[in-house]
Amino acid sequence: MELSLQYFVCITLAMSAIMIGRLLFSWWILPNLAYKKLKDNGFSGPKPSFPFGNLNDMKNEKKYASSCIISHDIHSAAFPYFARWQKSHGKVFIHWLGTEPFLYIADPEFLKKMTAHVVGKAWGKPTVFKNDREPMFGNGLLMVEGEYWVHHRRVITPAFSPANLKGMTNLMVESVTSMLDRWTDLINSGKPEINVEKEITSTAGEIISKTSFGISYENGREVVEKLREMQITLFKSNRFVGVPFSNFMSPKQTLKARKLGKEIDALLLSIITARSKSSKRHHPQQDLLGLLLADNMVDSRAGKRALTTRELVDECKTFFFGGHETTALAVTWTLLLLAQHREWQNQLIEEIREVIGNGEIDAANIAGLKKMGWVLNEVLRLYPPAPNVQRQARQDIEVDNLVIPNGTNMWIDVVSIHHDQNLWGQSVNEFKPERFKEDNLYGGCNHKMGFLPFGFGGRMCVGRNLTNMEYKIVLTLILTRFSFYLSPNYCHSPSIMLSLRPMQGLPLIFEPL
Ligand code: HEM
């Protein structure tokens, strides 16, 4: 009896020691080894403290105060800590999210050299984010790596072919027209002030439901609304991602995110199942879900590895979110800038008259809206909906005589690069779409990696052509029916909630043309 008690105590102690050892290894020894390697390679950064890293500095620093004065100089306001650390450590430095060191990068030359020899499939995504954002993106295209990424990307890319995009035009026009009819009703009933951010986001959700999943908005609405709730749960709250046991510090949010994740998965599974059963139904273009299911059937018949149901659900989740949120934000920020710059509103109205006239909108004529293209680029420069890009090295990467060790987390600050006076000149914080007139691709930026709204390299955004088309359709339809100006109730508060959004919405006052 005594012997077995002793045995039990020994086993418990040994197991506790192993557990503590493992935790110590992953939270202390491994990160510090990575940190040492980075420091040995010449990188420095603000001093971290265990277990929060630099998170306390980041959270304590003054947040963007909403203001009636609209300044486009948003980097130092939205990321005061990065702006401050840049002053003492330059444009490439180490900062810590909890027990995870990250290499911060806001230098396009460094980025160019770093990415020069790394192909899309060789990039990783930081494990800490993959775990934290699992309920939102799972192992969809945004997060998947290696050969799996190659497979997912190969299956998905044809959904965005010019022929497929062309087939989506009518559905987009239909959804936007019904939103604008609603606006007309509001104006006619004496309510010309409309919070366009909400309206545009919901219409973009309708568009992605119809064009990528072949379902009505009624069926897609629940998914979009739950994804939005998840976004607020994961990114608005005071969470400490990267800190050991951080889930226990915000148990309510963690449980809520998991619950929402399961509910979204169940909704998507029912959409996938219904679609698989109705394979005979006619779908005018090969939408995303159709392509995923068809490819899966071909692969499994050929005995190849098909996407599992889990992977299909994750892919749908990724596209439901990625496919509407960012495009809606591009349109929303555009409406803010056009409300401020009535001369550009008029120039675009003029261009629409010249290029489209009274004709129907189609993929061919919207391609002729050149000035609108400059406006899109300038808006994505000033207010990039995806404000940063993250990576994890899956190999040692050489930059000049420095080595970024395998496993290093990286945080690329797109807002900083887009607002860097050394790259864009004196007018960096001004709205000047004409900078893209002469230089359509880079807007006159003096570095080819200085304009990154859709990311870079092989992992560049797969949906950018869809955005370009949807953006032009929405804006054309709005500008042919209304002119608008800023409501005195607008408060400028660009903030990060995964994406860069106006936290207090965008109220505009509309007048029919
Ligand atoms: C203004 C609109 C958009 C912006 C600013 C934007 C931005 C980005 C950025 C910066 C990346 C790179 C992320 C990284 O490297 O980690 C990305 C990737 C991605 N985007 Fe977009 N995006 C937009 C629209 C869309 C749309 C409409 C869709 C889908 C219909 C979409 C789906 C994706 C997916 C699936 C990826 C991952 C690609 C990969 O890793 O291979 N995006 N996007």
Side-chain angles (χ1 to χ4, degrees), residues 428-486:
V428 62
N429 292 315
E430 289 168 32
F431 176 66
K432 282 182 160 263
E434 64 271 28
R435 66 176 95 236
F436 285 92
K437 182 180 177 185
E438 298 301 327
D439 182 2
N440 196 21
L441 287 180
Y442 307 108
C445 177
N446 69 24
H447 199 288
K448 300 281 176 272
M449 294 288 275
F451 182 54
L452 308 166
F454 293 108
F456 51 83
R459 295 209 67 149
M460 194 179 270
C461 178
V462 74
R464 58 193 188 281
N465 291 340
L466 173 63
T467 291
N468 194 37
M469 192 170 94
E470 186 173 333
Y471 177 90
K472 286 186 170 173
I473 290 176
V474 178
L475 214 54
T476 300
L477 289 170
I478 294 176
L479 289 168
T480 33
R481 287 179 63 170
F482 307 104
S483 72
F484 48 88
Y485 56 92
L486 259 184

Side-chain angles (χ1 to χ4, degrees), residues 125 141-143 149 153 160 208 212 315 318-319 322-324 326-327 330 380 384-386 388-391 452-456 458-464 466-467 470:
K125 295 291 172 100
L141 187 61
L142 196 64
M143 292 299 185
W149 172 77
R153 183 109 188 178
F160 301 97
I208 200 76
S212 291
E315 219 46 276
T318 299
F319 276 84
H324 85 283
T326 41
T327 311
L380 294 179
N388 51 66
V389 173
Q390 296 119 24
R391 290 279 185 274
L452 308 166
F454 293 108
F456 51 83
R459 295 209 67 149
M460 194 179 270
C461 178
V462 74
R464 58 193 188 281
L466 173 63
T467 291
E470 186 173 333

Side-chain angles (χ1 to χ4, degrees), residues 111-339:
L111 189 60
K112 183 181 127 194
K113 289 178 177 161
M114 180 182 103
T115 52
H117 305 292
V118 187
V119 292
K121 71 173 179 182
W123 279 118
K125 295 291 172 100
T127 314
V128 62
F129 292 141
K130 284 215 270 196
N131 293 339
D132 185 60
R133 297 172 187 182
E134 203 279 331
M136 187 130 188
F137 300 115
N139 236 349
L141 187 61
L142 196 64
M143 292 299 185
V144 80
E145 298 178 18
E147 289 304 329
Y148 289 124
W149 172 77
V150 176
H151 179 57
H152 284 227
R153 183 109 188 178
R154 177 182 59 75
V155 176
I156 283 159
T157 302
F160 301 97
S161 68
N164 259 346
L165 292 180
K166 213 169 142 191
M168 298 176 183
T169 325
N170 288 344
L171 290 172
M172 290 185 183
V173 172
E174 190 183 285
S175 299
V176 180
T177 305
S178 78
M179 171 182 80
L180 300 185
D181 289 345
R182 240 182 6 249
W183 292 9
T184 301
D185 290 345
L186 283 170
I187 297 166
N188 290 341
S189 64
K191 292 178 188 148
E193 179 169 320
I194 297 169
N195 180 357
V196 293
E197 187 247 344
K198 220 169 152 205
E199 285 281 308
I200 305 270
T201 306
S202 137
T203 300
E206 178 173 334
I207 290 174
I208 200 76
S209 303
K210 288 180 181 171
T211 56
S212 291
F213 297 92
I215 56 171
S216 70
Y217 186 50
E218 279 61 49
N219 291 336
R221 188 198 309 265
E222 218 181 331
V223 179
V224 171
E225 283 172 0
K226 282 188 191 294
L227 278 169
R228 172 87 171 158
E229 218 182 318
M230 168 110 73
Q231 185 186 13
I232 294 170
T233 310
L234 283 178
F235 300 102
K236 200 177 175 187
S237 58
N238 204 23
R239 294 166 68 251
F240 287 87
V241 179
V243 176
F245 297 121
S246 63
N247 283 347
F248 295 105
M249 292 159 86
S250 43
K252 252 173 131 178
Q253 283 106 324
T254 306
L255 290 176
K256 189 170 174 194
R258 282 194 195 144
K259 182 169 169 281
L260 282 166
K262 283 193 183 137
E263 288 169 4
I264 296 166
D265 289 358
L267 284 168
L268 289 170
L269 194 58
S270 69
I271 292 171
I272 294 169
T273 313
R275 181 67 178 270
S276 313
K277 282 186 188 153
S278 74
S279 55
K280 288 190 208 101
R281 223 168 54 200
H282 177 66
H283 285 277
Q285 92 274 353
Q286 279 284 45
D287 65 21
L288 180 82
L289 185 53
L291 280 168
L292 284 172
L293 292 172
D295 196 83
N296 244 20
M297 206 178 288
V298 172
D299 277 353
S300 51
R301 278 186 190 148
K304 287 196 208 154
R305 184 193 173 280
L307 297 184
T308 61
T309 310
R310 174 76 262 159
E311 286 171 317
L312 280 172
V313 167
D314 286 350
E315 219 46 276
C316 293
K317 228 171 4 181
T318 299
F319 276 84
F320 244 112
F321 183 76
H324 85 283
E325 151 96 0
T326 41
T327 311
L329 285 169
V331 175
T332 302
W333 289 119
T334 300
L335 295 179
L336 166 71
L337 287 154
L338 292 183

Side-chain angles (χ1 to χ4, degrees), residues 31-149:
N32 274 294
L33 283 176
Y35 186 45
K36 188 175 174 312
K37 274 192 197 166
L38 283 168
K39 283 181 78 166
D40 289 348
N41 272 288
F43 300 107
S44 66
K47 202 169 158 19
S49 62
F50 185 80
F52 293 102
N54 300 110
L55 277 174
N56 279 333
D57 290 351
M58 295 163 81
K59 287 186 188 286
N60 291 339
E61 200 119 15
K62 187 169 86 50
K63 286 271 147 45
Y64 203 109
S66 49
S67 158
C68 296
I69 301 162
I70 301 173
S71 159
H72 305 314
D73 181 7
I74 61 167
H75 184 251
S76 52
F79 302 105
Y81 39 89
F82 285 149
R84 185 163 52 81
W85 290 332
Q86 275 193 19
K87 285 193 185 122
S88 36
H89 303 286
K91 301 241 154 126
V92 181
F93 58 80
I94 315 161
H95 74 295
W96 289 65
L97 299 182
T99 56
E100 294 276 335
F102 271 75
L103 193 62
Y104 169 95
I105 299 158
D107 173 359
E109 183 58 20
F110 186 92
L111 189 60
K112 183 181 127 194
K113 289 178 177 161
M114 180 182 103
T115 52
H117 305 292
V118 187
V119 292
K121 71 173 179 182
W123 279 118
K125 295 291 172 100
T127 314
V128 62
F129 292 141
K130 284 215 270 196
N131 293 339
D132 185 60
R133 297 172 187 182
E134 203 279 331
M136 187 130 188
F137 300 115
N139 236 349
L141 187 61
L142 196 64
M143 292 299 185
V144 80
E145 298 178 18
E147 289 304 329
Y148 289 124
W149 172 77

